[in-house]
Amino acid sequence: EPTPDTSVADTEDSYILQVGSFRSAADSEQMKAKLALLGSVATVQTVTVNGETWHRVRIGPFEGARKADEMRRMLSDNQIDTLVMKANP
């Protein structure tokens, strides 16, 4: 007997796009504002790596690789490079 299909939403991974990592909090806020003008809500994550403080600007999560890729392309069209990462479950 065939097993029931699971919905795509239940099986797709979530993704986050990192759009920058800055030493300056002001630079990260500037990128966050630029993203807001493009209609994206970003968060800034402050971390310390090897004794240095970095401010990571991220958007998401996006459900599924297709949605993440659509956003990555839109940002690329606006000269914004991204790093795609799988979100933690």
Side-chain angles (χ1 to χ4, degrees), residues 8 18 43 45 57 61 63 73 78 87:
V8 173
Q18 182 167 303
T43 58
Q45 177 188 54
V57 181
E63 294 301 320
R73 279 194 217 140
N78 285 279

Side-chain angles (χ1 to χ4, degrees), residues 14-85:
S14 294
Y15 296 88
I16 293 173
L17 300 180
Q18 182 167 303
V19 294
S21 187
F22 305 93
R23 288 187 178 170
S24 162
D27 289 343
S28 67
E29 289 299 323
Q30 185 176 1
M31 176 58 79
K32 185 177 172 182
K34 183 175 184 178
L35 292 166
L37 291 173
L38 295 172
S40 297
V41 176
T43 58
V44 177
Q45 177 188 54
T46 302
V47 296
T48 302
V49 179
N50 296 329
E52 293 183 4
T53 300
W54 292 89
H55 307 278
R56 297 174 177 163
V57 181
R58 295 179 172 178
I59 58 174
F62 299 95
E63 294 301 320
R66 176 173 284 156
K67 287 185 181 177
D69 193 53
E70 287 170 3
M71 178 58 71
R72 183 194 60 76
R73 279 194 217 140
M74 186 277 289
L75 294 172
S76 179
D77 289 346
N78 285 279
Q79 288 73 50
I80 299 173
D81 291 328
T82 58
L83 174 66
V84 180
M85 300 176 296

